[in-house]
Amino acid sequence: MFSNVTAPSPGQICAGALAEVPSYSRSGRVSGVVGLLIEAIGLHRAVAVGDRCAVIDSHGERRLAEVVGFGSTTARLMAYGSVDGIGPGCTVEVDAGRAVIRPDRRWLGRVVDAFGDAADGSGPLPDGAHAYPLRRRAVPAQRRARIGARLDVGVRAINAFATLCLGQRVGVFSGSGVGKSTLMSMIARNTAADVNVIGLIGERGREAREFIEDVLGEEGLKRSVVVVATSDEAAPVRRQAAYVTMAVAEYFRDQGASVLCLMDSVTRFAMAEREIGLAAGEPPTSRGYTPSVFAELPRLLERAGPGEPGQGSITGLFTVLVEGDDMNEPVADAVRSILDGHILLDRAIAERGRYPAVDVLASISRTMPGCATAEENAVVGEARRVLALHASMAELIRLGAYRPGSDAEVDRAIRLQPALEAFLAQGHDDNGTTGDVYAQLAAILAADSDAAATAQAGGGGAA
């Protein structure tokens, strides 16, 4: 568990806040509004890409916006909300403060928005002593600790066939409605990690509260911080929610905790970045995604992983909503190349009623062989071979074209399939610990071998 850190004193909080107060202010004015893009003049050399500004609309209200690019004479901004009431001549004030949040361990059990403010109606969030930049750079590769011991996530299919390790980064790939959110909630409730940091990026407004109250539950929420940005919020807000999620995870990692960072979904982060890039004038490339999407993805995902020696780790699980169940679409392909493994949820498995619908033959953990014993790897390897053999013969078996007794290995795969399917199936409230899964698999395989030997002996005696 992470070290016992006392709450920051009021003096520490005030000193940190005063250090971020700008010594002067600059302003410009709006010269045009095109769609969601605001163009402003008078801000050259006062702002850079990623800086924030406040636009004073026609009713005198301040609207936060982010600088996303520049023209020859204008700065291009995107508002964090609606552009209604913003027009030419409106004042644009530069916010010289950095985009930071101040996480604290008292945030556990709370729901946070994309600006690091409370979103659960339970009062304001306490400020921590240190400011964490939203776009903090990843720990340099040469200074990172190695991947740690295996991490129990409480899901048998993953624990056995795609074992995760502390500090590993894995993608969960599937189409819509195949059970990504339910799988994430099972992992959040049952994991052996110290802290969960859950980012719901572009989530449906209806489902956000249901996920927190019904799916995650009270026990899961107690050791979690949930960051929410719903689908109706502006693209900069949805993108920023992903940055806030990583910043909160980095805070707990720096406190020595083993953090499980669950982000649902990376695809919606990429869509928000695409929307921003197109508005800023970037050319669309693969399926309309702009070059900045494929530059931002590794910057975000590389922030997960082990910290420096003596710190904790961030184990990342990032869902990818593949368009049209195409696992080779641009975002899925890019994310798969960055991460340390992938878990595939198959619609056909879900349609036949087995949940979680993990396709164990198509899923892989690149750290698994090194974090399991030789005996455990042998058991998993044998189970994979049985499942693969049954999958290759499934069509013939369904059509009745396979004659039992033609191949002893195929006969064995047919006998073992019901027990292996039952092993992979798991209820939402069921907890499959790592210590049990290898023994269960070995027992399933051994029971069939014993039964086959007994049948053979009986047949030989009759002859």
Side-chain angles (χ1 to χ4, degrees), residues 116-157:
D117 297 324
D120 53 8
S122 298
L125 292 167
D127 283 335
H130 302 290
Y132 276 70
L134 299 188
R135 299 199 190 191
R136 191 183 188 190
R137 292 183 63 85
V139 177
Q142 297 83 356
R143 287 166 38 195
R144 291 186 186 183
R146 297 287 297 272
I147 294 290
R150 62 187 174 195
L151 174 67
D152 184 356
V153 296
V155 178
R156 284 191 296 271

Side-chain angles (χ1 to χ4, degrees), residues 154-167:
V155 178
R156 284 191 296 271
I158 297 175
N159 281 343
F161 290 92
T163 311
L164 305 187
C165 296
L166 292 170

Side-chain angles (χ1 to χ4, degrees), residues 45-411:
R45 298 191 179 184
V47 292
V49 171
D51 287 348
R52 292 180 177 177
C53 297
V55 182
I56 313 301
D57 68 12
S58 57
H59 305 292
E61 296 182 5
R62 295 170 61 87
R63 306 280 194 85
L64 278 179
E66 181 177 324
V67 179
V68 297
F70 292 91
S72 57
T73 59
T74 61
R76 296 171 179 168
L77 300 86
M78 282 195 75
Y80 286 109
S82 170
V83 295
D84 293 347
I86 298 175
C90 288
T91 301
V92 181
E93 297 178 349
V94 177
D95 183 354
R98 297 183 301 159
V100 299
I101 59 170
R102 294 179 170 276
D104 188 85
R105 57 184 300 183
R106 291 171 290 175
W107 286 23
L108 289 173
R110 301 295 301 273
V111 182
V112 183
D113 66 14
F115 299 93
D117 297 324
D120 53 8
S122 298
L125 292 167
D127 283 335
H130 302 290
Y132 276 70
L134 299 188
R135 299 199 190 191
R136 191 183 188 190
R137 292 183 63 85
V139 177
Q142 297 83 356
R143 287 166 38 195
R144 291 186 186 183
R146 297 287 297 272
I147 294 290
R150 62 187 174 195
L151 174 67
D152 184 356
V153 296
V155 178
R156 284 191 296 271
I158 297 175
N159 281 343
F161 290 92
T163 311
L164 305 187
C165 296
L166 292 170
Q168 187 176 354
R169 300 163 304 139
V170 176
V172 179
F173 296 76
S174 85
S176 59
V178 186
K180 293 186 303 300
S181 297
T182 302
L183 176 62
M184 299 286 269
S185 69
M186 290 173 65
I187 293 171
R189 294 174 66 174
N190 299 325
T191 180
D194 299 325
V195 174
N196 300 316
V197 179
I198 304 170
L200 303 179
I201 314 302
E203 185 62 88
R204 302 176 186 88
R206 173 187 62 82
E207 291 186 352
R209 185 169 179 178
E210 290 177 2
F211 175 87
I212 294 167
E213 295 181 357
D214 301 335
V215 182
L216 182 60
E218 184 178 350
E219 288 302 313
L221 184 60
K222 278 182 181 178
R223 54 181 179 142
S224 303
V225 179
V226 183
V227 181
V228 178
T230 54
S231 59
D232 61 330
E233 297 190 78
V237 177
R238 284 178 270 134
R239 181 181 68 171
Q240 183 164 293
Y243 296 141
V244 170
T245 301
M246 293 307 307
V248 174
E250 287 166 338
Y251 162 77
F252 284 106
R253 179 201 63 196
D254 293 349
Q255 303 303 307
S258 63
V259 182
L260 182 63
C261 179
L262 307 170
M263 190 177 293
D264 185 13
S265 72
V266 170
T267 305
R268 296 193 187 107
F269 167 82
M271 289 177 174
E273 181 63 37
R274 175 176 62 182
E275 190 176 330
I276 294 167
L278 290 173
E282 282 190 76
T285 53
S286 183
R287 294 202 188 177
Y289 287 102
T290 57
S292 64
V293 173
F294 303 103
E296 282 298 317
L297 281 172
R299 292 192 189 112
L300 176 74
L301 301 177
E302 282 288 346
R303 290 170 65 177
E308 298 185 28
Q311 293 183 335
S313 63
I314 301 174
T315 305
L317 273 174
F318 304 96
T319 69
V320 180
L321 179 63
V322 295
E323 298 180 7
D325 289 347
D326 178 10
M327 296 300 165
N328 294 316
E329 60 94 17
V331 172
D333 200 42
V335 171
R336 192 165 49 242
S337 70
I338 297 167
L339 299 180
D340 307 318
H342 53 270
I343 296 166
L344 177 63
L345 303 185
D346 190 283
R347 189 177 300 278
I349 295 175
E351 287 173 349
R352 69 173 185 251
R354 196 254 280 169
Y355 289 96
V358 177
D359 184 345
V360 296
L361 296 177
S363 302
I364 187 170
S365 168
R366 293 191 176 98
T367 64
M368 179 179 175
C371 70
T373 66
E375 292 79 9
E376 291 167 344
N377 283 327
V379 169
V380 173
E382 184 180 357
R384 276 185 179 276
R385 285 190 295 274
V386 170
L387 290 168
L389 181 58
H390 188 275
S392 68
M393 298 295 292
E395 194 66 25
L396 292 176
I397 296 169
R398 278 196 297 269
L399 294 173
Y402 174 76
R403 180 179 298 174
S406 301
D407 187 306
E409 288 298 315
V410 175
D411 291 341

Side-chain angles (χ1 to χ4, degrees), residues 2-8 104-105 251 255:
F2 52 90
S3 56
N4 185 18
V5 180
T6 59
D104 188 85
R105 57 184 300 183
Y251 162 77
Q255 303 303 307

